[in-house]
Amino acid sequence: MPDSPDLDLRLVRYFTAVAEHRHFGRAAEALHITQPSLSRQIRGLERQLGARLLDRTPQGTRLTEAGEVFLPRAKTLLRSAAQAAAQTRAAARPSRITIGYTAGLIVTPAVRELRRLHPDADVRTSHVAWNEPRPALLDYRVDAVVTRLPLATDGLDVTILYDEPRMLLLSPDHRLAGRESVTLADIADEPLPRLADPDPAWEAYWRIDPRPDGRPAPDGPLIASIEDKFEPIAAGEAVAIAAGPIFVNLRPDLISIPLEGVEPSHVVLATRASDRNRLVAAFRKSARALLTSSRAALWSSEAAGGLAGG
């Protein structure tokens, strides 16, 4: 066998899918191929590498020792290939930009202005999951993203656009409902939802954990995703800290109250530090000029309409 086999990236991608799902059937379904075909492809990869990567067990599929070694390298290989392709496409089509945004954030005014100033450009928008801004940028899925801190900033250019007050999200029949504002002391013993697979910085910031006095934030229900927190809150099992009144219009069984004495949430624009795309620079200028003022106006109208207090 040659010392440096020519790896087929398609087979590498198939392997990472099986490693992620820990099951050939589920991986095959996600890849839209048949299970026997997937098994053949994995055997082909193992022949290329000269090592068995996966073992089937009654409980599913597990990585061998060689598979454990190969998995992070496979992910790096696929990421590098995706970045190479994206950078090549960007160089060939300098008049394309994809702008990302996370939940509750509005980019329309800046996007509209960018399209007005560059009518020949291909300007796209894409919703990005709360924990995906940095990977989406580094994997070239988006070229700019409007999101909230905390965010790991190494390798990125990050500009604060505006601040949002942090609010307490709770059910209308909660004991604190009807208050004009609350403090951390008021919720000292109120349980807050916990993510099953949290980002430590994100969890610490949005649970304010630990509290200024060093006490840990009370643990509430364990949830699989940010969106899952609404049910236990509406049921009165927990409260949550959120940015502005962004969720109360979604459900009639949730209200929000200003949380006093804590720093506001920071809305930022993040781009790749090395990006020299003229459209990225143009969007940064538009975002600084328009998103700050437009969001301030939106917040004022929401507050006047009584959304902050439900």
Coordinates of all heavy atoms in Angstrom, one line a residue, residues 149-150 160 163-167 184 201 204-206 208 212 241-244 259-266:
L149 N -23.1 38.8 21.3 CA -22.0 38.2 22.1 C -22.6 37.4 23.2 O -23.8 37.6 23.5 CB -21.2 39.4 22.7 CG -20.4 40.2 21.7 CD1 -19.6 41.3 22.5 CD2 -19.5 39.4 20.9
P150 N -21.9 36.4 23.8 CA -20.5 36.1 23.6 C -20.2 35.4 22.3 O -21.0 34.6 21.9 CB -20.1 35.3 24.8 CG -21.4 34.6 25.2 CD -22.5 35.6 24.9
I160 N -19.2 46.2 17.5 CA -20.5 46.3 18.3 C -21.4 47.3 17.5 O -20.9 48.4 17.3 CB -20.2 46.7 19.7 CG1 -19.5 45.6 20.5 CG2 -21.6 47.0 20.4 CD1 -19.2 46.0 21.9
D163 N -26.7 48.0 21.6 CA -27.0 47.2 22.8 C -28.5 46.9 22.9 O -29.3 47.8 22.5 CB -26.5 47.9 24.1 CG -25.0 47.9 24.1 OD1 -24.3 47.2 23.4 OD2 -24.5 48.8 24.9
E164 N -28.8 45.8 23.5 CA -30.2 45.5 23.8 C -30.3 45.2 25.3 O -29.4 44.6 25.9 CB -30.7 44.2 23.1 CG -30.8 44.3 21.6 CD -31.2 43.0 21.0 OE1 -30.6 42.0 21.4 OE2 -32.0 43.0 20.1
P165 N -31.4 45.7 26.0 CA -31.5 45.4 27.4 C -31.8 43.9 27.6 O -32.4 43.2 26.7 CB -32.7 46.2 27.8 CG -33.5 46.4 26.6 CD -32.5 46.5 25.5
R166 N -31.2 43.3 28.6 CA -31.6 41.9 28.9 C -32.9 41.8 29.7 O -33.1 42.7 30.6 CB -30.4 41.2 29.6 CG -29.3 40.8 28.6 CD -28.4 39.8 29.3 NE -27.3 40.4 30.0 CZ -26.4 39.8 30.6 NH1 -26.3 38.4 30.6 NH2 -25.4 40.4 31.3
M167 N -33.7 40.9 29.4 CA -35.0 40.8 29.9 C -35.2 39.4 30.6 O -34.5 38.5 30.3 CB -36.1 40.9 28.8 CG -35.9 42.0 27.8 SD -36.2 43.6 28.5 CE -38.0 43.6 28.6
L184 N -31.5 40.6 39.9 CA -31.0 39.3 40.1 C -31.4 38.8 41.5 O -31.6 37.6 41.7 CB -29.5 39.3 40.0 CG -28.9 39.4 38.6 CD1 -27.4 39.4 38.6 CD2 -29.4 38.2 37.7
A201 N -19.2 29.7 27.6 CA -19.2 31.1 27.7 C -20.7 31.6 27.5 O -21.1 32.5 28.1 CB -18.3 31.8 26.6
A204 N -22.8 30.7 30.6 CA -22.4 31.6 31.7 C -23.0 33.0 31.5 O -23.6 33.6 32.5 CB -20.9 31.7 31.9
Y205 N -23.0 33.5 30.3 CA -23.5 34.9 30.1 C -25.0 34.9 30.2 O -25.6 35.8 30.8 CB -23.1 35.3 28.7 CG -23.5 36.7 28.3 CD1 -22.8 37.8 28.8 CD2 -24.7 37.0 27.6 CE1 -23.1 39.1 28.5 CE2 -25.0 38.3 27.3 CZ -24.3 39.4 27.8 OH -24.7 40.6 27.5
W206 N -25.7 34.0 29.5 CA -27.2 34.1 29.5 C -27.9 33.5 30.7 O -29.1 33.7 30.9 CB -27.7 33.4 28.2 CG -27.4 34.3 27.0 CD1 -26.5 34.1 26.1 CD2 -28.0 35.5 26.7 NE1 -26.5 35.1 25.2 CE2 -27.4 36.0 25.5 CE3 -29.0 36.3 27.3 CZ2 -27.7 37.2 25.0 CZ3 -29.4 37.5 26.7 CH2 -28.7 38.0 25.5
I208 N -26.2 34.1 33.6 CA -25.5 34.9 34.6 C -25.0 34.0 35.7 O -25.4 34.1 36.9 CB -26.3 36.1 35.2 CG1 -26.9 36.9 34.0 CG2 -25.4 37.0 36.0 CD1 -27.7 38.1 34.4
P212 N -23.1 37.6 40.7 CA -22.0 38.5 41.2 C -21.5 38.2 42.6 O -20.4 38.4 43.0 CB -22.7 39.9 41.2 CG -23.7 39.8 40.1 CD -24.2 38.4 40.2
I241 N -33.3 34.3 30.8 CA -32.8 35.6 30.5 C -32.7 35.7 29.0 O -32.1 34.8 28.4 CB -31.5 35.9 31.2 CG1 -31.7 35.8 32.7 CG2 -30.9 37.2 30.8 CD1 -30.5 35.8 33.6
A242 N -33.3 36.7 28.4 CA -33.3 36.9 26.9 C -32.9 38.3 26.6 O -32.8 39.2 27.4 CB -34.6 36.5 26.4
A243 N -32.6 38.5 25.3 CA -32.3 39.8 24.8 C -33.5 40.6 24.3 O -34.1 40.2 23.3 CB -31.2 39.7 23.7
G244 N -33.9 41.6 25.0 CA -35.0 42.4 24.5 C -36.3 41.6 24.5 O -36.3 40.4 24.8
L259 N -34.7 43.3 33.1 CA -33.8 42.8 34.2 C -32.8 43.9 34.5 O -31.9 44.3 33.7 CB -33.1 41.6 33.7 CG -32.2 40.9 34.7 CD1 -33.0 40.5 36.0 CD2 -31.6 39.6 34.1
E260 N -33.0 44.5 35.7 CA -32.1 45.7 36.0 C -30.8 45.2 36.7 O -30.7 44.1 37.2 CB -32.9 46.6 37.0 CG -34.2 47.1 36.5 CD -34.1 48.2 35.4 OE1 -32.9 48.7 35.3 OE2 -35.0 48.5 34.7
G261 N -29.8 46.1 36.5 CA -28.6 45.9 37.2 C -27.6 44.9 36.5 O -26.6 44.4 37.2
V262 N -27.9 44.6 35.3 CA -27.0 43.7 34.5 C -26.6 44.4 33.2 O -27.4 45.2 32.7 CB -27.6 42.3 34.2 CG1 -28.0 41.6 35.5 CG2 -28.9 42.5 33.3
E263 N -25.4 44.1 32.7 CA -25.0 44.7 31.5 C -25.9 44.3 30.3 O -26.5 43.2 30.3 CB -23.6 44.4 31.1 CG -23.3 43.0 30.8 CD -21.9 42.7 30.2 OE1 -21.4 43.6 29.5 OE2 -21.4 41.7 30.5
P264 N -26.1 45.2 29.3 CA -27.0 44.8 28.2 C -26.3 43.8 27.3 O -25.1 43.5 27.4 CB -27.2 46.1 27.5 CG -25.9 46.9 27.8 CD -25.6 46.5 29.2
S265 N -27.1 43.2 26.5 CA -26.6 42.3 25.4 C -26.0 43.2 24.3 O -26.6 44.2 23.9 CB -27.8 41.5 24.9 OG -27.5 40.9 23.7
H266 N -24.9 42.7 23.7 CA -24.3 43.4 22.6 C -24.5 42.7 21.3 O -24.2 41.6 21.1 CB -22.8 43.5 22.9 CG -22.4 44.1 24.2 ND1 -22.7 45.4 24.5 CD2 -21.8 43.6 25.3 CE1 -22.3 45.7 25.8 NE2 -21.7 44.6 26.2

